[in-house]
């Protein structure tokens, strides 16, 4: 299991631009067969604007959340910093010390505590699963939800809810994108200058792969989206385009959340697309899910792309 979620790849898997059948492959990257992390070279790791350093084994320790920038957030509760052995991993390992995670998982920073608690209950009770059964980020959450205590969830939820999300995603409309590979349940730029048509996809990659793999909470991302997607998404979000209701009715007029309803502005477009798809296909069936399922049932995959692109372009 540990090797499955480590982030440094030795095998590159190109993602093809063809439109997918079933869950869109670009939104659900899966590690290639035989995926293994790169060997530890023994050198300590560092990131920009931090005096901290960690070894490679520390950046891969499921029971350690690296704290690169302690000035960015309060002290981490123990459940966030270290988890509880043997089966409750540190929340901050995957979601980072500031809660913002990456394209492969949820951005928890600033979510209502009650919403986080409800999602953990849904994972535990089988009301929130995943459209792609072998994706570790979701299967690990389902497993963890069955082992973590209610009090631990409450502490973690209060911590993440108290955090202010950072602006970290740059949305770029383009016809062509860098060729990518799956680098640990998310996409990364191959870095060789090769390009391919974007097609009907969003390609979200770290600006600095090593920085993100070192679990730096200040890592930033580029989200390449089809030309015109942001404007189309703005119209769909505002009015529903005759297919849905305005997102602002539930998520607030600025899309920064309303009561227990989560904010959408500035969130990962890969993550947003997965959630919209899973509401459409009955993968999420917990509290509030019927409202979302009805709202998105008539949207096409291109609509999901446009909505996700627009929401990602907003300031969180």
């Amino acid at each position: 299991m540990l090797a499955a979620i480590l982030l440094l790849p030795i095998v590159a898997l190109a993602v093809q631009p063809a439109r997918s059948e079933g869950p869109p492959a670009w939104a659900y990257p899966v590690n290639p067969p035989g995926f293994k992390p790169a060997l530890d070279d023994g050198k300590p790791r560092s990131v920009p604007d931090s005096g901290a350093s960690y070894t490679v084994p520390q950046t891969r320790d499921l029971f350690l959340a690296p704290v690169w920038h302690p000035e960015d957030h309060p002290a981490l509760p123990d459940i966030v910093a270290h988890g509880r052995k043997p089966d409750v991993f540190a929340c901050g390992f995957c979601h980072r010390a500031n809660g913002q995670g990456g394209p492969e998982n949820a951005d928890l920073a600033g979510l209502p505590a009650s919403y986080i608690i409800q999602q953990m209950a849904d994972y535990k009770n089988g009301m929130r699963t995943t459209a792609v059964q072998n994706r570790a980020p979701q299967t690990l959450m389902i497993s963890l939800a069955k082992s973590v205590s209610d009090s631990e969830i409450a502490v973690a939820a209060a911590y993440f809810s108290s955090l202010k999300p950072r602006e970290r995603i740059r949305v770029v409309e383009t016809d062509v994108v860098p060729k990518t590979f799956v680098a640990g349940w998310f996409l990364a730029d191959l870095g060789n200058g090769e390009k391919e048509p974007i097609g009907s996809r969003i390609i979200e990659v770290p600006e600095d792969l090593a920085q993100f793999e070192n679990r730096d909470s200040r890592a930033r991302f580029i989200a390449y989206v089809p030309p015109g997607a942001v404007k189309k998404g703005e119209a769909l979000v505002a009015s529903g385009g005759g297919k849905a209701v305005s997102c602002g009715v539930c998520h607030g007029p600025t899309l920064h959340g309303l009561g227990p309803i989560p904010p959408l502005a500035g969130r990962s477009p890969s993550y947003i697309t997965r959630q919209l798809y899973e509401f459409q296909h009955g993968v999420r069936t917990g509290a509030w899910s019927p409202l979302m399922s009805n709202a998105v049932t008539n949207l096409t995959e291109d609509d999901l792309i446009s909505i996700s692109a627009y929401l990602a372009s907003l300031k969180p």
Side-chain angles (χ1 to χ4, degrees):
M1 181 71 74
L2 175 57
I5 66 172
L6 295 176
L7 299 178
L8 295 174
I10 60 172
V11 180
L13 181 67
V15 178
Q16 300 302 317
R19 189 180 180 90
S20 59
E21 294 294 334
W26 58 265
Y28 290 87
V30 174
N31 285 352
F35 179 91
K36 294 180 180 179
L39 294 175
D40 177 11
D41 60 9
K43 297 178 181 179
R45 297 297 191 256
S46 60
V47 301
D49 302 316
S50 174
S53 67
Y54 291 92
T55 65
V56 170
Q58 285 177 316
T59 66
R60 299 175 181 177
D61 184 348
L62 295 170
F63 298 96
L64 174 66
V67 177
W68 293 105
H69 309 284
E71 67 275 19
D72 286 356
H73 49 75
L76 276 61
D78 196 54
I79 191 65
V80 175
H82 302 291
R84 174 171 49 79
K85 294 182 178 181
D87 47 13
V88 179
F89 306 139
C91 306
F93 174 79
C94 291
H95 296 283
R96 308 313 198 261
N98 69 348
Q100 292 201 251
E104 75 277 19
N105 56 32
D107 178 350
L108 303 180
L111 292 182
S114 60
Y115 177 80
I116 296 174
I117 292 169
Q118 181 62 56
Q119 298 318 299
M120 293 301 294
D122 289 349
Y123 277 126
K124 181 178 181 179
N125 297 326
M127 303 182 81
R128 180 170 179 175
T129 58
T130 173
V132 176
Q133 297 304 314
N134 58 343
R135 287 197 81 245
Q138 284 69 49
T139 57
L140 286 174
M141 281 301 304
I142 293 167
S143 175
L144 185 149
K146 296 175 181 178
S147 300
V148 68
S149 71
D150 290 346
S151 61
E152 289 168 333
I153 292 172
V155 168
Y159 172 75
F160 288 121
S161 181
S162 74
L163 303 177
K164 183 178 180 180
R166 298 170 64 94
E167 189 173 359
R168 64 196 179 111
I169 300 170
R170 178 162 58 96
V171 175
V172 177
E173 293 192 347
T174 180
D175 288 311
V176 295
V177 295
K179 286 192 174 182
T180 56
F181 65 98
V182 181
W185 313 107
F186 63 93
L187 299 178
D189 188 338
L190 272 173
N192 60 5
E194 291 188 66
K195 305 282 186 180
E196 64 184 4
I198 191 169
S200 294
R201 298 183 297 169
I202 293 174
I203 300 299
E204 185 177 5
V205 297
E207 288 188 354
D208 184 326
L209 178 58
Q211 182 184 13
F212 182 57
E213 289 180 324
N214 287 332
R215 321 203 79 73
D216 184 359
S217 54
R218 291 186 183 177
R220 295 181 57 83
F221 303 87
I222 304 173
Y224 298 103
V225 305
V230 173
K231 185 176 181 180
K232 178 183 175 184
E234 182 178 14
L236 285 167
V237 166
S239 68
K243 302 178 180 182
V245 298
S246 166
C247 299
V249 171
C250 293
H251 293 276
T254 63
L255 305 170
H256 288 89
L258 190 64
I261 308 300
L264 303 177
R267 306 277 160 167
S268 161
S270 305
Y271 177 82
I272 292 173
T273 299
R274 288 196 298 273
Q275 305 321 302
L276 295 176
Y277 180 89
E278 293 181 356
F279 280 123
Q280 274 190 331
H281 292 82
V283 178
R284 291 187 61 169
T285 59
W288 305 99
S289 294
L291 291 175
M292 277 300 304
S293 297
N294 289 334
V296 301
T297 188
N298 294 320
L299 297 175
T300 66
E301 186 174 313
D302 285 341
D303 292 335
L304 303 189
I305 289 170
S306 296
I307 290 169
S308 300
Y310 171 66
L311 293 173
S313 75
L314 302 175
K315 290 187 177 182

